[in-house]
Amino acid sequence: MALDLLLYAPLALPAAAALACAIFGWRTWTAWAGVATAAGQLAAAIALGPHVVHGTARTAAGGLLRADALTAFILILVSAVALIATWASVHHVAAEQADGRMSPGDARRYGVLVHAFLTAMGAAVLADNLGLMWVALEATTVITAFLVGHRRDRAGLEAAWKYVVLCSVGIAMAFLGTVCVYATALHAGGHGTTALNWTFLTAHADRLDPAVIRLAAGLAVLGFGTKAGLAPMHAWLPDAHSQAPAPVSALMSGVLLSVAFTAILRYKVLTDAVLGPGYMRTLLVAAALASLAIAALLLISQRDYKRMLAYSSIEHMGIAALGAAAGTRLAAAALLLHVLGHGLAKSVAFTSAGQILHHTRTSRIAGVRGLAAGRPALAGVFGLAVAALAGLPPFPLFASELGIARSTVSAGLGWALAAALALLLVIFAALARHTTSMLLGPAPGPSPTAASVPAAGAVTPLVLALIAAAVLGTALGPLQPLLGAAATIVGVP
């Protein structure tokens, strides 16, 4: 019974917070209740780890919900970023309301949608059924479209429509892939909706039609790759992430991309069992190099710091795809550590960028100068977050990128690694140039349009997230067994 509660908690807690916001509106206590539910999600995800770390999957709700080590690890990522984003939302909404940019109705809608978004992501991670996973990921598109266009201005509405159209095309391709898997599973002895259950598919992989699985895997990479921000299906991402509220951008970049990428990993495990590793390796290497190339080319001349962070997300999904292409257990461990480190660092980067935008009233890189002199605490967290995203120690991306590089060479993909390293050097230089131009120099004089200074407490969750990331970058501690067990599911020895 207690174990069942751990599987229900990632769904029930954010759903309860959404209901509270819907009934009572955005109030101080409902805002902090949302933070408390995110903390409860994180506690449940951590408590679930020891139950699945030895390879035994746990189920609930008649088999609809299933948790293995990979599920528990991704749930920790989702709930950790959710805690940062909901905590930051308390101050974000307060600042927006103080400036007259958010009405009580807008704040109510914001609270409901954010927690509904967290519920949908929890369902996508916990779903044993591939069809249910698809439904949950489609629900995230519908929910976040309203968040992207929450200001109802021209730029926000254009970004929301672009997001809906492109992601709907992607999710339609993923649906066709799911249908293909269902068709071949029925021929393999499946019955009803259980034919799409992960447990059935992995147990009967030898009976699945290779030609159908080949088609399904290609559609899944294209479809879920659209949600994950992999090139060439990435075009929605810079607009949506730059227009969404900063805490929502943190959730979309920090966890939505990783949850969608987890769906690709599930399909990869199944496809490798049927076809061998070569097919998915080719698809993922192509997506990885295309993503890195797009990020490098567009970061060089980038003029908007929120879009800069969005293109950085495409870069990091490309690195994760390269790790998945290598396919070894070490590569799987490295890419899972990578998405965790990226989620923590990107949530800090986007939420601090939101505070910079609130203070300066501009998202233009050229419009922000001398931040270190004028707002040293805010400059510190933003600069450290970008340093973490650039792969500098002691943050986790340093270790994860080394692990992915080593695994890529071991897998015979040295040529791909060489191309990736050249592109990463360009990306590092672009990030360093843009960020230093914002942080350094004399502090500008007071602007007549400058907003009030964000509350000191707004920086607190960001500092805690950076500390957590630095700790994970030096010693995984109790998380190491869970990471190893999750890597065993995704990679091969």
Side-chain angles (χ1 to χ4, degrees):
M1 182 63 179
L3 184 57
D4 286 350
L5 291 176
L6 294 179
L7 270 69
Y8 291 130
L11 307 179
L13 288 173
L19 183 62
C21 286
I23 296 173
F24 301 104
W26 184 275
R27 303 175 184 273
T28 301
W29 73 268
T30 56
W32 284 106
V35 180
T37 58
Q41 280 181 278
L42 180 58
I46 293 172
L48 182 63
H51 294 283
V52 296
V53 75
H54 297 298
T56 303
R58 308 292 181 175
T59 60
L64 287 176
L65 304 181
R66 176 183 179 275
D68 55 18
L70 178 60
T71 302
F73 187 87
I74 299 298
L75 281 176
I76 289 174
L77 166 62
V78 171
S79 52
V81 176
L83 179 58
I84 299 166
T86 53
W87 194 340
S89 291
V90 176
H91 304 285
H92 172 80
V93 173
E96 291 285 286
Q97 289 181 323
D99 291 342
R101 296 163 63 88
M102 184 179 286
S103 68
D106 293 335
R108 179 197 297 267
R109 184 166 53 252
Y110 175 88
V112 171
L113 291 173
V114 164
H115 293 294
F117 180 33
L118 293 174
T119 305
M121 284 196 290
V125 176
L126 282 164
D128 184 40
N129 187 281
L130 295 185
L132 179 59
M133 178 183 70
W134 178 88
V135 170
L137 283 170
E138 172 66 0
T140 64
T141 303
V142 176
I143 294 167
T144 49
F146 290 100
L147 288 168
V148 170
H150 80 294
R151 292 194 189 278
R152 296 188 290 277
D153 57 8
R154 180 174 180 176
L157 291 175
E158 286 181 354
W161 276 111
K162 187 174 184 179
Y163 172 53
V164 168
V165 170
L166 293 180
C167 285
S168 294
V169 171
I171 212 71
M173 289 189 287
F175 175 74
L176 292 176
T178 305
V179 170
C180 290
V181 173
Y182 182 66
T184 187
L186 289 179
H187 285 287
H191 301 283
T193 56
T194 59
L196 280 175
N197 283 4
W198 174 254
T199 48
F200 172 83
L201 293 169
T202 52
H204 298 85
D206 58 328
R207 302 183 189 177
L208 301 179
D209 188 323
V212 177
I213 291 297
R214 183 184 299 273
L215 176 61
L219 290 169
V221 171
L222 285 172
F224 293 123
T226 303
K227 291 285 291 185
L230 291 173
M233 302 81 69
H234 68 284
W236 64 270
L237 192 150
D239 297 287
H241 286 203
S242 63
Q243 293 300 318
V248 175
S249 298
L251 286 171
M252 293 178 71
S253 182
V255 292
L256 177 59
L257 303 185
S258 298
V259 169
F261 193 79
T262 302
I264 295 176
L265 292 178
R266 294 289 190 189
Y267 270 87
K268 179 183 183 300
V269 171
L270 182 63
T271 305
D272 287 354
V274 177
L275 301 173
Y279 180 63
M280 285 294 281
R281 175 173 292 176
T282 301
L283 294 179
L284 289 169
V285 167
L289 295 181
S291 299
L292 291 171
I294 288 292
L297 289 173
L298 294 176
L299 276 171
I300 293 173
S301 58
Q302 191 52 240
R303 300 176 181 179
D304 184 300
Y305 53 84
K306 287 195 74 177
R307 292 178 71 89
M308 175 185 77
L309 297 177
Y311 283 115
S312 169
S313 297
I314 297 173
E315 169 215 350
H316 286 286
M317 286 300 102
I319 294 173
L322 189 61
T328 64
R329 187 172 180 271
L330 173 61
L335 80 87
L336 290 174
L337 179 62
H338 193 86
V339 297
L340 178 59
H342 171 257
L344 291 173
K346 192 56 66 66
S347 61
V348 174
F350 264 119
T351 48
S352 58
Q355 293 181 26
I356 294 171
L357 177 61
H358 174 78
H359 171 64
T360 63
R361 293 294 194 221
T362 179
S363 63
R364 306 287 286 182
I365 294 173
V368 182
R369 290 293 183 269
L371 194 63
R375 297 286 179 264
L378 184 55
V381 293
F382 182 76
L384 287 172
V386 174
L389 293 171
L392 297 180
F395 298 104
L397 298 183
F398 176 75
S400 65
E401 289 177 2
L402 284 179
I404 290 172
R406 177 182 170 187
S407 302
T408 304
V409 172
S410 299
L413 295 172
W415 63 272
L417 177 63
L421 289 176
L423 294 169
L424 286 173
L425 182 61
V426 175
I427 291 169
F428 179 88
L431 286 174
R433 180 168 66 89
H434 295 322
T435 305
T436 53
S437 71
M438 295 170 61
L439 299 183
L440 302 181
S447 169
T449 60
S452 57
V453 179
V459 179
T460 302
L462 312 186
V463 172
L464 294 176
L466 287 173
I467 292 172
V471 170
L472 289 174
T474 54
L476 287 172
L479 196 60
Q480 186 165 355
L482 182 63
L483 177 61
T488 301
I489 295 171
V490 178
V492 295

